[in-house]
Amino acid sequence: MQQISFRPDLQGLRAVAVLLVVFAHAEIPPFGGGFVGVDVFFVLSGYLISALLLNEIRNTGRIQLSLFYSRRLRRLFPALLLVIVITALAASLLLPDKEAIGMLSSTPYAAIWSSNLFFAFRDYDYFDETANRDLFLHTWSLGVEEQFYIIWPLILLLLILPPSLRHGKPSYRLAQPLSLILFFLFIGSLYVSSLSSTLAFYLMPARMYEFALGALVFVTQTTNSQSNTPREEHNAIQKSLAALGIKQTNTQLQNIPLWIGMGLLLTSATLASEDLSHPPLWALAPAIGTALIIRAGSTETQRSFLCAPSMIWIGNRSYSIYLWHWPVLKLSAALGFTTHSAKIALMLAITLILADFSYRYVERPLWKAQLQNTRPHQVILLSVLMMGFVYTLWMNIEPYISPPAIQRTLSKYEKTRLDHPVIYDMGCDTSIRSSDLTPCMFNQKNYEKTVVLLGDSIGAQWFSAVRERFSEPQWRLVVHTKSACAILDETYVYRPAGGKYYACFEWREKALRDIEAMQPEVVVLGSAASYGFFDEQWREGSSRFFSRLSKSSKWVYVIVGTPWLSFDGPSCIERTLENDELLPEHACRQENTDPTPLNVAQNLRDAAARFPNIHVIDPAPLVCPEGICRAMTSTGIGVYRDTQHLTDSFVRSLAPDLGRMMLTDLSQ
């Protein structure tokens, strides 16, 4: 297969892309939107793969598909297989069995390049945090790339079938059909996004326009390099600038699109959010930025920061860095090692060490040396057999690793994990795609007054305490709960629901109308503090919601969202305790230093101050006494059933204190 000239600036661009992704996943500010680095990789892949294929067509008149696929497998599969095996072994040794199984749920799909399909179509369980911290979640992008590699050579072959494109230099006449393909792919991506942002995020057809953009860059770059038009345009630009008294060197002119492209990338990395509802739209800026950076370069070394030795070093290892960074970060987080910046720096250093090892001893040797002379069909057959082996092995051993709970005694981990309010066994909380209002009723006979518990899963965790405070026979208790549904008048994106959380918005309206018709004496409202709204949204959205509640209920108590852990509480208890003794003093704990719940509490107070019958309760001092959040109390009660939801046992222990916070004379 024809090789293309080495572009050091493209290796530097790989470095920028992988660093953006790593910084975003490590939650290093201000790169919260650094996941757009994946879009950089997609455009780069489209450029480089199209260059290889079109050069081969130009020189041989055909594409050797078996050689192409075998090269892709030699390049990508060995390092992926190494990461899968090492990560699975580490998780099984370091984590409780149940947690390890949950975090490795995509293993067989990652091995066969289809994890993007697994994540796009899996049944979402809001309370299964282990599955939502999957150790191979990042391999979705590899699935997208491999699926692109399967069909793109065939598309290029179809484009060059007409006689006019068979001979000479195909790139001359591919720009127009590629432009049309790019246009229709982007429109199709927008359509998929309008149906489901989840599908638009994970599925290859919705991302294919980015690869096509890279291909178009190569075609137009090649066409222009073989004509005199760029020279004439360049001379015209120079003359125009000279007339204005501006002297520009060739390098300075060439660097203009480079810096525009970098500006688009960095702006996207700092402003983009995973909560945006239309992936094609927010991915457009980094995709165009990448195209400009590629177009600014040449086959000669471009003297820019992208060509610095350190950038090329990282760029060479970008694939291995990408493979290792997510398992390292997620395993360390599960073990409670990523609270402080020094620990995050250590995890990133471990990532670089592992990446350098796999690049030196697995990725590069099998790509460039050991298997280079192996026949293509043998490489493909061996790779398919290995994929099938990993897939079959996992599917057969997983049931034995994690037998049904009914067949064994529940571990401390599972006892804590399953310690939730009884309302979740009563069907109060419907699926994320349902807007049905299905209240749970308690004490429907002989009651004098009604109290309503309204909230998301964080609000619903207070059920037992509310039930004790407003006890029978005087009080009827009505529970309205919907997981991940923020209890304020704001719209937002919830990706597992496929985009904007319309089911939540409709459910909230139904709940408000039911309360307005019911006219209860008391409403207890609870909502998580982790939704990511701006201060103004918290204040004004809550105020609009409070306005309706204050008119339909005598008293409203708003319980602020509780602090959360950076590690999984039940897992830490399981790892630390060998018997049923208490946790050591400094085990499974962290300082409550996150300012988010405090800011939300103040915003809720500001909103509630407008209504005399609405009172805000902040339970943080009860949950994290003296500013320390613990997985287990000093008396042996598990506090968290995951990273954020409180156990029902712990809530019942807080019921008297929480009840005293509701000091209003309810007899009035």
Side-chain angles (χ1 to χ4, degrees):
M1 185 175 292
Q2 180 72 22
Q3 298 291 329
I4 61 175
S5 300
F6 177 69
R7 290 269 306 267
D9 59 310
L10 297 190
Q11 291 302 91
L13 184 55
R14 289 182 191 272
V16 171
V18 78
L19 289 176
L20 288 178
V21 172
V22 172
F23 290 167
H25 290 162
E27 299 181 0
I28 297 175
F31 301 106
F35 52 83
V36 299
V38 173
D39 302 286
V40 178
F41 283 124
F42 289 164
V43 177
L44 258 176
S45 291
Y47 175 85
L48 294 171
I49 294 304
S50 299
L52 287 170
L53 294 172
L54 290 174
N55 280 342
E56 183 180 8
I57 294 171
R58 181 182 297 116
N59 287 278
T60 67
R62 62 191 180 97
I63 296 176
Q64 299 181 60
L65 292 177
S66 61
L67 180 58
F68 172 75
Y69 294 138
S70 68
R71 280 176 57 86
R72 293 297 89 204
L73 289 169
R74 284 195 289 113
R75 171 73 175 86
L76 302 173
F77 186 61
L80 173 64
L81 185 61
L82 174 69
V83 172
I84 289 175
V85 171
I86 298 299
T87 300
L89 288 174
S92 63
L93 292 173
L94 297 175
L95 303 176
D97 289 346
K98 193 73 174 179
E99 183 179 20
I101 291 298
M103 295 180 70
L104 292 169
S105 57
S106 69
T107 300
Y109 305 97
I112 61 173
W113 311 101
S114 63
S115 62
N116 62 317
L117 304 178
F118 170 78
F119 293 118
F121 296 109
R122 66 173 172 170
D123 293 329
Y124 183 79
D125 184 352
Y126 175 78
F127 291 104
D128 188 1
E129 282 199 358
T130 56
N132 299 325
R133 293 182 282 118
D134 195 292
L135 291 171
F136 301 121
L137 176 61
H138 65 313
T139 63
W140 72 269
S141 65
L142 306 183
V144 169
E145 286 211 32
E146 286 300 314
Q147 291 152 28
F148 164 77
Y149 295 152
I150 291 174
I151 69 170
W152 192 243
L154 305 178
I155 292 176
L156 290 182
L157 284 173
L158 289 175
L159 289 178
I160 63 173
L161 279 178
S164 61
L165 298 182
R166 286 181 187 170
H167 307 291
K169 299 179 174 60
S171 58
Y172 271 121
R173 303 186 181 183
L174 283 177
Q176 183 175 356
L178 273 177
S179 298
L180 289 175
I181 288 175
L182 172 60
F183 173 76
F184 286 113
L185 285 174
F186 183 70
I187 296 301
S189 185
L190 289 177
Y191 175 71
V192 174
S193 180
S194 69
L195 300 177
S196 169
S197 62
T198 300
L199 298 183
F201 187 87
Y202 286 119
L203 296 187
M204 185 274 293
R207 295 285 192 163
M208 197 170 172
Y209 77 92
E210 295 179 284
F211 296 97
L213 177 60
L216 184 62
V217 171
F218 172 75
V219 168
T220 56
Q221 187 179 60
T222 305
T223 301
N224 288 340
S225 67
Q226 295 169 344
S227 67
N228 293 324
T229 303
R231 174 68 60 183
E232 295 169 357
E233 292 177 352
H234 171 76
N235 291 338
I237 293 173
Q238 288 278 34
K239 291 179 180 178
S240 298
L241 292 172
L244 297 172
I246 302 174
K247 294 184 178 180
Q248 291 282 337
T249 65
N250 292 347
T251 302
Q252 287 174 320
L253 281 175
Q254 193 177 37
N255 281 343
I256 291 175
L258 168 66
W259 292 114
I260 293 175
M262 285 303 303
L264 287 172
L265 282 188
L266 295 178
T267 301
S268 301
T270 54
L271 297 182
S273 166
E274 291 184 347
D275 292 333
L276 295 173
S277 59
H278 294 287
L281 291 178
W282 58 247
L284 195 58
I288 293 174
T290 303
L292 288 172
I293 294 170
I294 296 173
R295 191 66 180 82
S298 66
T299 56
E300 300 176 359
T301 300
Q302 183 177 329
R303 298 300 177 185
S304 71
F305 75 98
L306 292 176
C307 300
S310 59
M311 297 296 286
I312 294 176
W313 189 91
I314 295 174
N316 289 339
R317 291 155 180 79
S318 58
Y319 178 58
S320 287
I321 292 172
Y322 184 82
L323 286 177
W324 282 111
H325 86 283
W326 183 260
V328 169
L329 289 173
K330 288 303 166 183
L331 276 175
S332 61
L335 297 171
F337 291 156
T338 57
T339 303
H340 302 296
S341 57
K343 294 179 181 179
I344 293 176
L346 176 61
M347 294 305 105
L348 296 182
I350 292 173
T351 296
L352 287 179
I353 293 171
L354 291 172
D356 186 55
F357 174 85
S358 61
Y359 173 75
R360 288 174 182 269
Y361 301 109
V362 177
E363 180 185 342
R364 185 173 177 81
L366 294 177
W367 176 29
K368 295 291 188 180
Q370 281 90 331
L371 296 179
Q372 191 164 11
N373 296 321
T374 305
R375 293 181 178 178
H377 72 272
Q378 293 176 332
V379 173
I380 295 172
L381 178 61
L382 178 62
S383 299
V384 171
L385 289 175
M386 288 300 298
M387 293 178 197
F389 175 76
V390 173
Y391 183 90
T392 304
L393 179 65
W394 180 264
M395 289 301 189
N396 282 277
I397 68 172
E398 193 272 340
Y400 295 99
I401 297 174
S402 181
I406 195 172
Q407 300 178 7
R408 56 188 166 78
T409 303
L410 293 179
S411 66
K412 292 183 289 290
Y413 166 86
E414 290 166 309
K415 288 178 180 178
T416 309
R417 179 79 72 198
L418 297 174
D419 190 359
H420 52 66
V422 296
I423 54 177
Y424 287 106
D425 299 323
M426 300 174 64
C428 307
D429 198 282
T430 57
S431 72
I432 60 173
R433 300 187 187 281
S434 172
S435 63
D436 294 342
L437 190 68
T438 55
C440 286
M441 305 283 193
F442 298 86
N443 186 31
Q444 297 192 68
K445 296 181 179 179
N446 303 320
Y447 66 88
E448 300 175 12
K449 301 177 181 180
T450 298
V451 58
V452 176
L453 174 60
L454 173 66
D456 60 2
S457 60
I458 296 298
Q461 70 187 359
W462 298 109
F463 164 77
S464 293
V466 173
R467 189 179 188 183
E468 181 174 322
R469 173 66 179 86
F470 303 96
S471 56
E472 300 180 21
Q474 185 180 19
W475 289 91
R476 177 182 67 155
L477 172 58
V478 179
V479 178
H480 287 318
T481 176
K482 186 167 186 61
S483 295
C485 186
I487 310 301
L488 73 164
D489 184 15
E490 286 289 340
T491 61
Y492 61 99
V493 170
Y494 184 50
R495 179 156 295 160
K500 287 191 175 181
Y501 200 0
Y502 291 111
C504 166
F505 313 152
E506 294 170 5
W507 179 89
R508 283 190 316 219
E509 180 60 27
K510 292 178 181 179
L512 277 173
R513 290 179 180 177
D514 187 64
I515 292 172
E516 288 168 343
M518 195 184 309
Q519 294 290 305
E521 277 71 22
V522 176
V523 172
V524 179
L525 182 155
S527 190
S530 55
Y531 285 103
F533 296 120
F534 296 115
D535 289 345
E536 183 72 10
Q537 290 176 298
W538 275 113
R539 287 192 298 270
E540 298 307 317
S542 296
S543 180
R544 290 191 294 271
F545 206 85
F546 293 166
S547 177
R548 294 180 65 177
L549 284 179
S550 67
K551 298 173 183 176
S552 56
S553 178
K554 290 183 179 179
W555 303 103
V556 178
Y557 293 100
V558 181
I559 304 179
V560 179
T562 46
W564 47 84
L565 299 174
S566 63
F567 57 90
D568 185 76
S571 299
C572 189
I573 294 173
E574 178 85 353
R575 288 193 307 271
T576 308
L577 289 183
E578 295 183 0
N579 300 308
D580 290 330
E581 70 273 13
L582 301 179
L583 283 174
E585 175 64 23
H586 296 287
C588 302
R589 51 175 279 174
Q590 71 179 47
E591 294 183 11
N592 181 25
T593 57
D594 193 326
T596 303
L598 291 175
N599 293 339
V600 171
Q602 186 57 54
N603 290 324
L604 292 176
R605 291 190 191 98
D606 292 342
R610 308 172 190 179
F611 309 95
N613 61 337
I614 295 184
H615 307 279
V616 176
I617 296 174
D618 187 356
L622 300 177
V623 177
C624 302
E626 299 178 351
I628 302 296
C629 301
R630 296 174 173 84
M632 178 181 283
T633 68
S634 59
T635 57
I637 300 175
V639 177
Y640 290 88
R641 64 180 191 264
D642 43 41
T643 62
Q644 58 177 332
H645 297 92
L646 304 179
T647 66
D648 193 53
S649 298
F650 180 65
V651 168
R652 288 198 302 270
S653 73
L654 298 182
D657 294 316
L658 194 70
R660 282 190 289 271
M661 291 182 177
M662 301 180 188
L663 298 176
T664 304
D665 183 1
L666 299 175
S667 64
Q668 298 178 3

